[in-house]
Structure formats: C-alpha cells, structure tokens
Amino acid sequence: MDLSRSSFKLFLSRGGNALLMFGGITFFANSLDAGQLGIYFLFQTVLGLLSIPADVGISGALEKRLSEGGQTQDRTLGSAVAFKATATTVVAAGILLGRGSVNDFIGANVAGLLVVGLATHEFSKLYLHAVRGELRVGETAPIEFANRLVWLGLGALLVTRGYGPRGIVVGLIAGSAVGLLWAYSRCGVPIGRPTMDAVKDLLAFSKYQTVTSVGGRVYSWMDVAFVGYFLASSYVSAYEIAWQVTLLVILVSKSIGVTLFPQISQWNEAAATERIGSSISTAMGVTLFISIPALVGATIFASDILRFIFGPEYVVAAAVLVVLMVEKVFQSVNDVVEGAVRAINRPDLAARATVVAVSLNLVLSPLLLVTVGFVGAAIATTTSWFVNTVLHARYLSRYVSFSIPYRLAGWYAASSLLMGGALLAVKWAVPVTGVAILVAEIAVGVAVYVAVTVAIPDVRDQVILPGIRTLI
C-alpha cells in the first residue's frame, strides 16, 4: 500500500465530505431555527452513543485481524457479522422498549428511525473497516463521499418540502445505506461460517477497542448530551456547529491516521519498528502544519464565521469555537499516536489512556457547564484531549522510537503569528461585513502562511515538497 497516495485519496474524500457537511449544516442552519436543528443534532448524539454497545469494538478488531493476514479471514468476517447482528438487535430492542424516554430527550418521535439508522450505520461501518483491513484504504474514500452526498442531497430536498429535522434524519439513514451496499460490494473477503474461536479472537482485541471507541464517542457526543440536558436545544445547535467547523482542521490527521493503522499493523508483524517510528514522526509534522495556523485564524474570525455563515444566533458559540480549535491541535497529534498504539497490538494501553481521559471529561463537563457556562464543555473536552494525547505518546514511546517535531512546530507557530498580524491589519482596514469579504480575508491568511513557510528550508523540504510530489 502506498501510504502517501492512500492518505491523499482519503484526504480528498474527507475534504469533499467536510465541504458537503459544512455546506449542509450551513443550509440547514439557514432553513430551520436553532431549536429544530438541535433535534437533529440530538438524534446524531443518541445514535453515536448507542453505537458503542452495538459495536463493542468489533469493527476495529475486524480491521486489525484482517490486516494481519491469515487463512481464516472468511470466518473472521462471518463471526464479526454475526456478532454485530446480535449486538445491534439487542440495542434496537432497548430503543423500542424505551421509545418514550428516547423521544422525549431528542424532542421528536424518531425512535423508529433511530433503530433503522443504527442498523445501517453499524453495518456500513463494519464493511468499511473490512475493506481497510484488506489494505485497500484508498478504495473507501469514494464510499464515504457518496454517503455524505446522499445525506445532503436527500436531506436538503426533504427539508425544502417541509419535513424539518426528520428530513435530515432520513437523509442520514439513506447515506449509510448507500455506504453499506457499496462497501459490501468492494469487500473481497467472503462471509464464512462463524466460529467461537474467531469470536474470541476478535473480542481479545475489541475488549480494549471498545474502551477506545467509547472515548471517541464521549468526545464527539457527550458534550452535546450534557449541553442538551442542562441548556436549551438552541445551545446544542450552536455548540455542534462550532464543533463541525473545527473538524475541518483534522481532515489531514484523520486521513493519515486511518491509512497508517493497517500499514503499521503489518509492519509490526514484520518487526519493522524503524519504519513505524519514521512514519509517525513525519505524520505529526504534516498534521501540525494545518492545525497550528488554523487556531490563530479561528481566534481572529470565530465570531465572523458564525455570524455571516450560519446566522447571528450562533455567535454565542464564538468562544467555544476558539477553545475547540485548541483541542484540535492536540487531536491532530493524537490521531497519529493513538492509532499507532493500537496497531502495534497494544490496545490495552490505548484503552488505559482513554479511561483516564474520558473519566476526566465526564467529571469536568457537567462541573464546568454549571460553573463556567456554555464554554465550560469545550474547556473540559480540550483538557481531556491533552491528557489523552500525552498518555498515548508516552505509551507508544516504550515500543517505538519516534521524535516529536518540535522544531517544525516552532516554525509553524512563528509563521502563524506573522499570518495573524497580517490578518489583523487587513481586518482593521477592511472590516468583515459579509461572507465574500470573510472568505477573501481567510484566503489572504492562507496565502501569507504558505508564502512564509515555503521560505523556511525545514518546512519546505520535509513537508511542502514531499506533499507536492504526492500530488503529482
């Protein structure tokens, strides 16, 4: 597998996904009021949290076992499918039994849609991991893009026809269904007869993968759940929109992390630790190239982005956006080191780090929400991600020799500050009064940052030129 090209394919796909998501959220925010949009975000939150018991780490374990090779891959996949079907059925039954409470929390009668959405989401995810486990990560890129495109297209159509947040939910389910069918057609491993030995082998990895998965769900959805519990649904919309904006920053790190996992797993089986360490150091240098200047830009334009793109009612989340952008700096590093820890077959250490960080988040989120206010949830998440990243890096260093690119990070920070100074001057001369001026000034910032970093030999030789060679 060509790591650079696979990462680039996945980045293009996820970049397209992010643009679709950004465009979709912008359209929906301008078509529905904040309370209605909050219903959809709460649906997403419940779906994300319920996927924990519906998956229990089996999808990640399947990718790990398939990437290791072997003669019983069909039985491994068959066992994963059987286990997933059983777990999803149990969770679906719980949704139906507690439909009243579920509908009350979300604010709409959507329990039935939640069951369908859970099934399509979980099996789509399972088969995406199966294709990645075959070291064909690049082939999952168009599948993810199609999933998001269907969500936006159908969701927008139904919203314009007056279906409100329910229309976005139906679009979400349809996108997952398309992703499932496509991933299934691309999977080269047949479904074999399930066996207890294969299930035990998957669970040996997934019992730790479950904890890591819980951590990801907590970071993604628990803040929204707490905001929805303590505050009005309009705050849910504002928080989630700020979160979605910051996700644009980690497109590169997510793409690299997903691509590295099966490759590091294969290298680990061959004891090629030097290649693992070198790839990790390079990956961190690339991810920080994006996340550090994004933090500076967000600090300058947070209020303008929320006001002119989504609406004045979302400016309340300006401080949240800035704090979450700090979190994305840590997450961009963690996307690399956390996946590497699991890929070297130490999911127990990844689980240990996740337990510490998640426990911290669960304590800090409600505490800071009721004491500091709305921004408290973002502070809690940022603190937790910092702890999580430090622990994963420490555990990884026990088995793989890698270097954190402090020198490159320093150059990025200096270049970002120069960019920030230029943007403040431009913004003072030409105040932002609409989307066109906002986009133009952000483009000026990007141009300044690239021009400065190209002039720095370390950055040019280690990041920019290799990136250009990947493109061509």
Side-chain angles (χ1 to χ4, degrees), residues 72 76 79 136 165 172 186 203 207 209 215 222 226 232 263 270 317 322 325 350 352 392 397 404 420 431 469:
T72 60
T76 299
S79 300
R136 294 157 52 210
L172 182 72
R186 298 304 301 164
L203 291 177
K207 64 183 178 182
Q209 177 72 16
M222 192 57 70
F226 279 129
Q263 185 62 75
V322 174
M325 201 64 81
R352 186 183 303 175
H392 275 107
S397 66
I404 298 176
R469 283 195 290 269

Side-chain angles (χ1 to χ4, degrees), residues 16 27 44 54 70 136 153 163 178 183 193 224 231 248 250 277 284 300 315 347 403 408 420 471:
F27 175 81
Q44 263 196 318
R136 294 157 52 210
Y163 287 91
V178 169
R193 180 174 60 85
V224 178
L231 303 175
L248 296 172
I250 54 172
M284 283 193 287
I300 296 171
V315 177
S403 59
L408 285 176
L471 294 178

Side-chain angles (χ1 to χ4, degrees), residues 76-123:
T76 299
L77 178 58
S79 300
V81 169
F83 191 94
K84 169 77 78 171
T86 302
T88 302
T89 299
V90 171
V91 176
I95 294 172
L96 295 177
L97 289 174
R99 65 170 67 88
S101 298
V102 172
N103 291 334
D104 288 343
F105 177 75
I106 296 175
N109 185 17
V110 292
L113 289 174
L114 187 61
V115 170
V116 179
L118 183 69
T120 56
H121 175 268
E122 288 306 305
F123 280 96

Side-chain angles (χ1 to χ4, degrees), residues 188-387:
V189 178
I191 299 177
R193 180 174 60 85
T195 66
M196 284 305 301
D197 287 342
V199 171
K200 290 178 181 178
D201 186 48
L202 287 166
L203 291 177
F205 187 88
S206 73
K207 64 183 178 182
Y208 299 113
Q209 177 72 16
T210 300
V211 178
T212 304
S213 177
V214 168
R217 296 295 186 275
V218 167
Y219 289 126
S220 298
W221 305 118
M222 192 57 70
D223 283 354
V224 178
F226 279 129
V227 172
Y229 181 79
F230 286 105
L231 303 175
S233 60
S234 59
Y235 283 94
V236 172
S237 297
Y239 190 95
E240 182 63 18
I241 281 176
W243 177 269
Q244 291 294 336
V245 171
T246 63
L247 289 180
L248 296 172
V249 177
I250 54 172
L251 288 173
V252 172
S253 64
K254 287 291 185 186
S255 300
I256 291 175
V258 169
T259 307
L260 275 177
F261 179 83
Q263 185 62 75
I264 290 178
S265 175
Q266 187 181 66
W267 284 339
N268 185 64
E269 292 297 306
T273 56
E274 290 186 5
R275 298 186 70 179
I276 295 174
S278 175
S279 296
I280 291 170
S281 300
T282 300
M284 283 193 287
V286 173
T287 61
L288 290 172
F289 179 77
I290 305 296
S291 58
I292 291 177
L295 170 59
V296 175
T299 303
I300 296 171
F301 290 116
S303 295
D304 300 310
I305 290 171
L306 295 172
R307 176 180 292 108
F308 294 113
I309 295 180
F310 299 102
E313 65 268 37
Y314 297 106
V315 177
V316 66
V320 170
L321 195 157
V322 174
V323 173
L324 289 178
M325 201 64 81
V326 176
E327 175 261 331
K328 290 301 181 287
V329 175
F330 303 138
Q331 188 179 347
S332 66
V333 175
N334 192 72
D335 285 338
V336 176
V337 294
E338 184 269 337
V341 171
R342 291 185 295 111
I344 62 172
N345 212 26
R346 291 310 307 262
D348 56 321
L349 296 179
R352 186 183 303 175
T354 300
V355 167
V356 173
V358 166
S359 299
L360 182 62
N361 197 33
L362 290 175
V363 172
L364 288 180
S365 284
L367 179 63
L368 293 180
L369 262 172
V370 299
T371 56
V372 178
F374 186 37
V375 74
I379 295 173
T381 295
T382 301
T383 304
S384 301
W385 268 114
F386 173 74
V387 172

